Amino acid sequence: EICEIKEITICQLERLALLGEALMIEEKDTGFDFSLYDESQCKDYIFQLTLIRFDMMSTVVEIIPLNKIISCFAASSLQTALATKVAEIYNFKLDVNHFLKMASGSTGVSLLFKGVGYGISRLFPFNFIWRASSAFASAYAVGLAAKAYIGAEGKINADNLKSIWESSLEEGKSVFRQFKNYIYRNKMSLAEDLKKWLSNKDTKEA
């Protein structure tokens, strides 16, 4: 179900909450599996939507024909944007230093992981499956690491961040198994989402 939700914002959830309160709708009757009247739960819900959306787009980079240079650029841009988006969700005010820490960390992770991935994947007959799984897990780990970094207000040491990254990476591989069939069935529509995202990104930077 989470895959079918294209876009929803904190503001929209806040409006729904106000409407629910005005109509005296009980929490259990809102239709959500979290408390619509709890701001922190709403933010966590938006985080999950954002995380899966970026994870799936990162996976599509590996299963549609792109040359390696464009593929690396798209993956690193997605992961940098994911970290920045997580900061927006949790109202984390980025100064230059915070942003550079997250952006350089995300980009570095992506390029390193893709370099290793392309090397290892040549050993397997269905290497695109391994690359897709790795791309999903890598983006997933970046998202959780960014959330942890923001939760700690940037006060997190390298060892702890590495530990969070490694455990999140393993979790991401497991989560990918839940979404892989959906991703493969909908790869063309997800590819269109990726193209629109890249186009919007270029327009904003112009």
Side-chain angles (χ1 to χ4, degrees):
E1 293 179 359
I2 199 171
C3 297
E4 302 298 339
I5 301 173
K6 289 293 184 181
E7 192 71 38
I8 189 168
T9 66
I10 288 289
C11 288
Q12 289 171 327
L13 289 180
E14 288 175 347
R15 290 181 189 134
L16 284 174
L18 289 173
L19 180 60
E21 289 174 347
L23 296 175
M24 294 184 288
I25 297 174
E26 293 186 22
E27 186 177 296
K28 63 182 177 64
D29 297 324
T30 61
F32 292 98
D33 59 1
F34 63 92
S35 174
L36 183 62
Y37 306 121
D38 186 312
E39 183 180 9
S40 65
Q41 290 189 39
C42 287
K43 287 182 178 181
D44 286 344
Y45 178 72
I46 296 296
F47 167 75
Q48 288 296 330
L49 289 180
T50 302
L51 181 63
I52 295 302
R53 177 177 175 239
F54 275 85
D55 292 346
M56 291 195 297
M57 287 196 294
S58 296
T59 305
V60 167
V61 170
E62 296 297 344
I63 58 179
I64 60 175
L66 293 172
N67 68 52
K68 290 183 181 180
I69 294 175
I70 294 175
S71 178
C72 286
F73 169 77
S76 60
S77 294
L78 281 165
Q79 293 185 8
T80 299
L82 172 57
T84 304
K85 185 70 175 177
V86 174
E88 292 175 1
I89 292 169
Y90 290 102
N91 300 319
F92 186 73
K93 294 183 179 179
L94 290 172
D95 61 24
V96 175
N97 289 332
H98 279 132
F99 176 78
L100 289 176
K101 282 179 183 178
M102 289 205 302
S104 63
S106 299
T107 304
V109 162
S110 172
L111 296 179
L112 172 62
F113 205 80
K114 287 180 69 62
V116 173
Y118 276 115
I120 295 177
S121 67
R122 294 193 188 98
L123 302 175
F124 300 95
F126 301 104
N127 55 45
F128 74 93
I129 296 176
W130 193 94
R131 294 202 308 267
S133 172
S134 298
F136 186 100
S138 182
Y140 185 89
V142 167
L144 291 193
K147 186 174 184 288
Y149 179 86
I150 291 163
E153 298 183 347
K155 299 171 183 176
I156 186 167
N157 62 46
D159 288 339
N160 286 339
L161 195 58
K162 181 180 178 182
S163 177
I164 292 168
W165 156 256
E166 290 175 348
S167 62
S168 299
L169 186 62
E170 290 305 312
E171 183 181 332
K173 292 175 184 177
S174 177
V175 173
F176 171 74
R177 298 188 193 102
Q178 301 172 32
F179 289 92
K180 67 178 181 179
N181 290 336
Y182 177 89
I183 293 170
Y184 291 135
R185 284 198 312 267
N186 297 276
K187 59 182 178 294
M188 297 313 296
S189 63
L190 290 170
E192 285 302 313
D193 289 343
L194 175 61
K195 289 176 184 177
K196 288 177 183 177
W197 181 84
L198 289 171
S199 177
N200 290 336
K201 176 180 177 296
D202 291 339
T203 300
K204 288 178 181 178
E205 290 180 351

